[in-house]
Amino acid sequence: MADHEKIGTVWTDDELDLIVADHFAMLEAEQAGRSYVKSRHAAELMARIGRTHRSVEFKHMNISAVLEELGHPTIRGYKPKPNYQRTILDAIERYLSSRPVTLWRPEAVELAEPGGLFVEPPPPLQPARDRPKELERLVRKFDAGERDFRNRQLGKAGERAVFEFEQHRLRAEDRPDLARKVRWVAEEDGDGAGYDIRSFDRSGRERLLEVKTTLGGRTTPFYLTRNECALADERADAFRLLRLYSFAREPRMFELEPPLADAVRLSPHTYQASFA
């Protein structure tokens, strides 16, 4: 039962820690394909902290808004609402700093068929926006691009999905001869070519595909290597960047073509120190 004296009051750190932990419990279950009941979670949390159902629901949507900024997937039904108190950032930071969060397992992704990726147009490039300094610091600390870049299992799973998608697409376009020639270059030859998959369009023109995969949403940032950027400039006719997102739940994909600076905002992330 709700404590009416709490209505309209600021959530305490203890209350925020409880709802953030509950949110991640549901999110991990959803991403792993395990069933759970949101209303049961809400009822148990309300009984512990004395907050109203409306307040609990709204706070979950606040958490979704922060996780979206961090490049994490979000819970179905909890649409991100960004008008949150700064203290929710502290609670999420405490949670993420204190334990590993497992939101993806390789066996969890099962495409209905090799051509089962949902393909859509890329998002438009939006004007640069200022984040609150507390959010900007949190985003830097839990860098989504670096997280995805270092997750080789996730990267390989995305590459495999595109490799099979390209074969399926060419067979559907009545080019089984070209489908047999599609190569997973990163798997066969290792990294370093500046692209992952060598494919073709229906007419036989080469497609050099660099695959970037994330568990987050369609605008989650990603890393590009110097080699990939150079190849995009040198082979603008053939280079294509395929962005896979929402990969653990409902994999979707869009394609970017050079010049990449027209499609995404490129910014230097690291500096090289040398003595010569």
Side-chain angles (χ1 to χ4, degrees):
M1 178 178 292
D3 182 349
H4 292 285
E5 292 184 359
K6 288 188 173 184
I7 295 176
T9 63
V10 175
W11 283 53
T12 67
D13 286 350
D14 288 342
E15 290 172 334
L16 290 172
D17 287 341
L18 285 171
I19 196 170
V20 167
D22 188 54
H23 192 98
F24 272 100
M26 289 188 287
L27 182 57
E28 291 193 49
E30 186 169 295
Q31 294 298 299
R34 301 193 304 269
S35 62
Y36 69 96
V37 181
K38 284 204 290 283
S39 60
R40 187 175 300 166
H41 276 259
E44 291 175 359
L45 187 63
M46 288 162 58
R48 293 186 68 182
I49 65 177
R51 294 287 177 174
T52 65
H53 184 268
R54 177 180 175 82
S55 181
V56 167
E57 292 279 296
F58 198 86
K59 196 63 68 177
H60 276 302
M61 291 188 280
N62 288 159
I63 296 170
S64 289
V66 178
L67 295 187
E68 188 174 61
E69 293 279 3
L70 295 178
H72 280 295
T74 56
I75 296 174
R76 287 189 182 97
Y78 285 140
K79 183 179 180 180
K81 285 191 177 295
N83 296 324
Y84 47 78
Q85 298 164 336
R86 297 291 185 265
T87 50
I88 197 68
L89 300 174
D90 297 332
I92 290 171
E93 181 175 8
R94 286 194 296 272
Y95 187 89
L96 292 176
S97 298
S98 66
R99 71 209 75 197
V101 175
T102 304
L103 296 178
W104 179 76
R105 295 176 179 83
E107 65 274 12
V109 178
E110 293 183 7
L111 301 182
E113 56 183 49
L117 285 171
F118 183 85
V119 182
E120 62 182 19
L125 183 61
Q126 300 293 328
R129 60 187 177 88
D130 292 328
R131 292 186 176 107
K133 63 180 181 180
E134 299 91 345
L135 175 59
E136 185 63 37
R137 185 184 62 80
L138 192 64
V139 168
R140 287 197 304 269
K141 181 173 181 178
F142 301 103
D143 188 319
E146 182 175 5
R147 179 197 66 215
D148 293 337
F149 182 76
R150 293 183 182 280
N151 191 338
R152 278 304 298 157
Q153 283 188 309
L154 178 64
K156 281 197 170 187
E159 291 169 14
R160 179 182 297 279
V162 169
F163 175 67
E164 294 175 351
F165 177 87
E166 286 293 300
Q167 292 177 316
H168 177 89
R169 176 184 61 79
L170 287 165
R171 287 193 293 267
E173 292 174 351
D174 200 27
R175 293 304 308 265
D177 56 324
L178 294 177
R180 290 191 293 270
K181 294 180 180 180
V182 176
R183 289 189 66 230
W184 186 354
V185 174
E187 180 71 3
E188 296 178 22
D189 302 337
D191 295 327
Y195 64 96
D196 300 310
I197 311 291
R198 179 175 181 263
S199 186
F200 308 89
D201 66 13
R202 191 177 186 280
S203 66
R205 288 192 295 259
E206 194 174 44
R207 280 166 53 84
L208 305 179
L209 308 179
E210 175 59 32
V211 183
K212 302 294 183 180
T213 307
T214 185
L215 305 178
R218 69 200 298 252
T219 58
T220 298
F222 56 88
Y223 279 3
L224 283 166
T225 67
R226 182 179 300 177
N227 200 23
E228 291 158 2
C229 289
L231 186 65
D233 291 337
E234 295 166 9
R235 294 294 313 275
D237 60 317
F239 184 92
R240 298 294 182 267
L241 191 148
L242 301 188
R243 181 54 162 164
L244 275 65
Y245 69 95
S246 297
F247 193 71
R249 187 166 66 193
E250 46 186 3
R252 291 169 174 257
M253 179 172 72
F254 58 81
E255 182 174 307
L256 302 178
E257 60 182 65
L260 295 179
D262 289 350
V264 295
R265 188 166 286 102
L266 298 172
S267 57
H269 191 79
T270 58
Y271 295 89
Q272 183 185 52
S274 65
F275 296 97

